[in-house]
């Protein structure tokens, strides 16, 4: 049965999408069957998987509001050997339209139930907010992967997210747990980053993944070629870190 994970952090630009796309491609290289769900109206995970988000006939929006079923929305990433439920700006409308619909927090969960046996991993790329879309992600998932930069304010932002996860756990999804914190865009030359990284390890212990993703321009370049970094340049330091991270996730899932 598929293990479902949200990649979430309510801050923008912290590496959620990069993590989601590269983890999907890295898991696929490890022979895992992966479905990536783009829950962000920016559609960056869709584009980064090599899918033209402007040309979509159907997207996650249609799935969430009940206008299409999953099979009609799903597409294969041409570059990454995984499947995608793509998104574009249409999805911004779902936020408003879903409010009126029955079971509004659990519409994605319901849609994913039908494909649980088709995948080993489902990865959900959440938007940078604690919105109804993110709530749909959190209600669908077994766990949350939190990418974060080791900056001064990182810990402060984390407490809001941790509180939201606790509330969802208490009220909507008893399965939900924090799987781990992933340090991304890491620059070991910066003393502050080393300090925050050490603080994270003190605070969260083995909830901090061992893999650390360095700041690496190849990861930033890859989306403009419509490819995950691990496909565009597998030898790059950043790609190697995501390949290590995939190993760690496969290991961690065994102990869940
Ligand atoms: P989010 O989804 O949280 O908004 P993104 O994954 O889109 O964040 O990352 C924000 C920006 O940082 C993007 O331009 C992305 O290419 C870049 N980026 C992400 N991770 C790295 C990294 N490890 N090294 C260099 N650039 C990165
Ligand atoms: Mg994003």
């Amino acid at each position: 049965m598929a293990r479902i994970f949200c990649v979430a952090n309510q801050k923008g630009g912290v590496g959620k999408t990069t993590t989601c796309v590269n983890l999907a491609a890295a898991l696929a290289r490890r022979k895992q069957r992966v479905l990536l769900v783009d829950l962000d109206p920016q559609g960056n995970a869709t584009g980064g998987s090599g899918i033209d988000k402007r040309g979509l006939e159907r997207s996650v929006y249609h799935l969430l509001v009940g206008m299409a079923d999953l099979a009609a929305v799903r597409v294969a990433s041409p570059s990454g050997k995984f499947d995608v439920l793509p998104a574009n700006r249409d999805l911004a409308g779902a936020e408003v339209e879903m409010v009126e619909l029955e079971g509004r927090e659990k519409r994605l969960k319901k849609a994913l139930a039908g494909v649980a046996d088709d995948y080993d991993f489902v990865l959900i790329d959440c938007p940078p907010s604690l919105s109804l879309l993110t709530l749909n992600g959190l209600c669908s998932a077994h766990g949350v992967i939190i990418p974060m930069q080791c900056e001064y304010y990182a810990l402060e932002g984390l407490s809001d997210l941790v509180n939201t996860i606790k509330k969802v756990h208490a009220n909507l999804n008893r399965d939900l747990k924090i799987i781990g914190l992933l340090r991304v865009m890491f620059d070991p030359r910066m003393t502050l980053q080393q300090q925050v990284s050490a603080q994270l390890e003190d605070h969260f212990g083995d909830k901090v993944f061992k893999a650390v993703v360095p700041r690496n321009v190849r990861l930033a370049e890859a989306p403009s070629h419509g490819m995950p970094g691990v496909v565009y340049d597998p030898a790059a330091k950043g790609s190697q870190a995501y390949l290590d991270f995939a190993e760690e996730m496969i290991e961690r899932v065994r102990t869940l």
Side-chain angles (χ1 to χ4, degrees):
M1 212 188 64
R3 289 293 177 166
I4 305 177
F5 300 107
C6 274
V7 178
N9 188 323
Q10 77 276 27
K11 283 176 72 176
V14 293
K16 290 182 290 299
T17 300
T18 304
T19 295
C20 211
V21 170
N22 282 285
L23 179 59
L27 286 168
R29 279 178 67 118
R30 301 282 190 245
K31 304 280 180 269
Q32 302 295 302
R33 300 167 301 161
V34 183
L35 175 68
L36 187 161
V37 182
D38 192 352
L39 269 194
D40 189 338
Q42 291 182 75
N44 291 341
T46 300
S49 303
I51 297 156
D52 174 18
K53 60 186 179 187
R54 285 172 198 86
L56 296 174
E57 244 170 69
R58 306 222 186 292
S59 68
V60 164
Y61 163 76
H62 299 88
L63 183 67
L64 290 176
V65 300
M67 285 163 66
D69 59 17
L70 191 143
V73 172
R74 175 169 51 187
V75 287
S77 161
S79 50
K81 296 200 169 79
F82 53 89
D83 287 344
V84 181
L85 299 181
N88 58 23
R89 290 187 56 186
D90 289 350
L91 187 57
E95 188 78 47
V96 181
E97 289 173 45
M98 277 195 300
V99 172
E100 309 266 292
L101 298 178
E102 188 191 327
R104 61 188 174 192
E105 302 95 354
K106 300 203 173 167
R107 298 188 69 84
L108 179 65
K109 182 187 169 83
K110 230 174 136 187
L112 290 176
V115 294
D117 292 330
D118 299 352
Y119 297 101
D120 300 305
F121 285 88
V122 177
L123 303 176
I124 304 171
D125 188 27
C126 289
S129 61
L130 299 173
S131 62
L132 188 50
L133 287 169
T134 299
L135 205 53
N136 262 269
L138 294 175
C139 283
S140 307
H142 299 112
V144 188
I145 296 165
I146 306 174
M148 55 187 304
Q149 294 178 48
C150 291
E151 289 172 345
Y152 183 65
Y153 289 111
L155 287 166
E156 229 169 78
L158 203 55
S159 59
D160 291 340
L161 180 60
V162 170
N163 284 332
T164 302
I165 293 168
K166 279 187 183 151
K167 277 187 204 150
V168 174
H169 174 84
N171 299 304
L172 292 162
N173 178 5
R174 299 299 296 178
D175 290 342
L176 190 69
K177 48 168 90 63
I178 295 176
I179 302 298
L181 305 171
L182 178 68
R183 290 162 284 182
V184 297
M185 297 191 224
F186 192 71
D187 183 349
R189 291 166 304 181
M190 309 244 306
T191 312
L192 176 65
Q193 293 212 8
Q194 283 180 354
Q195 284 168 351
V196 173
S197 174
Q199 268 178 9
L200 280 179
E201 285 172 346
D202 281 350
H203 242 80
F204 293 95
D206 58 11
K207 286 270 179 214
V208 182
F209 290 110
K210 288 192 203 73
V212 178
V213 181
R215 189 170 280 286
N216 180 205
V217 69
R218 303 298 271 171
L219 292 173
E221 285 168 7
S224 66
H225 299 271
M227 283 183 218
V230 302
V231 176
Y232 173 63
D233 186 354
K237 286 222 166 74
S239 304
Q240 289 293 315
Y242 278 115
L243 288 163
D244 290 345
F245 178 44
E247 291 282 344
E248 212 176 333
M249 279 302 295
I250 291 169
E251 203 46 51
R252 222 168 256 218
V253 157
R254 288 207 187 102
T255 63
L256 282 181

